[in-house]
Amino acid sequence: MKVLYFAWLRQRTGTGEEQVSPPEEVRDMAGLMRWLATRSPGHAAAFADPAQIRMAVNQDFCGPDHPVKPGDEIAFFPPVTGG
């Protein structure tokens, strides 16, 4: 599974992209965020407030209950405002 981080999530995790193999019990985006938060102090800081994080699976916006599976491309980014 490829995970992409943007903006302050990239700064806190210390990486823009990583390949991960979460345990089998990680089945949705919420579970993935909880698991990723255990990987390092930077990851914990990045996922400290999940309500402030937007996400996508295979380039489609989704919510925390969206399923994930091996081979997916996951992206995490802050809320974006336009103008």
Side-chain angles (χ1 to χ4, degrees), residues 48-66:
D49 186 1
Q52 295 300 312
I53 299 172
R54 300 299 173 258
M55 57 201 88
V57 174
N58 300 321
Q59 300 182 4
D60 289 324
F61 290 107
C62 67
D65 60 343
H66 192 282

Side-chain angles (χ1 to χ4, degrees), residues 28-57:
D28 60 19
M29 290 295 283
L32 180 62
M33 286 192 291
R34 285 190 300 272
W35 179 75
L36 287 168
T38 68
R39 292 178 55 84
S40 76
H43 285 78
F47 292 102
D49 186 1
Q52 295 300 312
I53 299 172
R54 300 299 173 258
M55 57 201 88
V57 174

Side-chain angles (χ1 to χ4, degrees), residues 65-77:
D65 60 343
H66 192 282
V68 296
K69 62 187 180 316
D72 281 343
E73 179 187 80
I74 310 296
F76 293 107
F77 43 91

Side-chain angles (χ1 to χ4, degrees), residues 4 13 17-18 22 41 48 63 69:
L4 306 172
T13 60
E17 177 181 320
E18 61 183 336
K69 62 187 180 316

